[in-house]
Amino acid sequence: MDKAARIFKVLSDETRLRIIDLLKNQSLCVNALAHFLGVTNAAISQHLRILRDANLVIGEKKGYFVHYHINEETLSEWEVIAKNLFKKSTLKEDE
């Protein structure tokens, strides 16, 4: 349950959800994310730090910029955890 709680805490911010949505389709740098989302570079950097710490995004240096993309392995792992959390239990009440 601790891992599920951590996952949902990371996903509890609308800006982070919007970042994830953008990065699902392409890799982007901080400037591009800030432009698309209409927030400051500093705000994007703070959200990316949280997403990096959770291993959900990976940064790759390209020239002078770091481009971020989704870590597909972590995304798949989180999907399984979320599905299991909401799956009906197979245990009977009197067990």
Side-chain angles (χ1 to χ4, degrees):
M1 279 299 184
D2 287 344
K3 186 146 189 160
R6 187 171 153 242
I7 289 168
F8 287 107
K9 186 173 182 177
V10 169
L11 299 176
S12 68
D13 185 89
E14 181 183 353
T15 300
R16 286 194 289 270
L17 291 175
R18 293 171 65 203
I19 290 170
I20 292 166
D21 191 47
L22 285 170
L23 295 179
K24 285 189 306 187
N25 301 313
Q26 60 188 332
S27 66
L28 295 167
C29 67
V30 170
N31 289 337
L33 287 166
H35 174 75
F36 285 129
L37 298 176
V39 297
T40 65
N41 288 11
I44 293 295
S45 293
Q46 290 298 317
H47 288 297
L48 285 171
R49 181 186 53 79
I50 292 166
L51 295 171
R52 275 193 323 268
D53 289 349
N55 201 30
L56 188 56
V57 298
I58 298 170
E60 290 183 24
K61 185 107 168 131
K62 294 184 181 179
Y64 293 109
F65 300 98
V66 177
H67 287 249
Y68 295 91
H69 64 275
I70 294 292
N71 181 340
E72 295 293 338
E73 187 176 312
T74 300
L75 190 62
S76 296
E77 179 186 326
W78 286 21
E79 182 180 12
V80 169
I81 291 169
K83 282 182 179 179
N84 286 336
L85 180 66
F86 294 112
K87 191 186 307 183
K88 286 187 178 181
S89 176
T90 57
L91 296 176
K92 295 182 181 168
E93 285 186 30
D94 44 304
E95 286 186 44

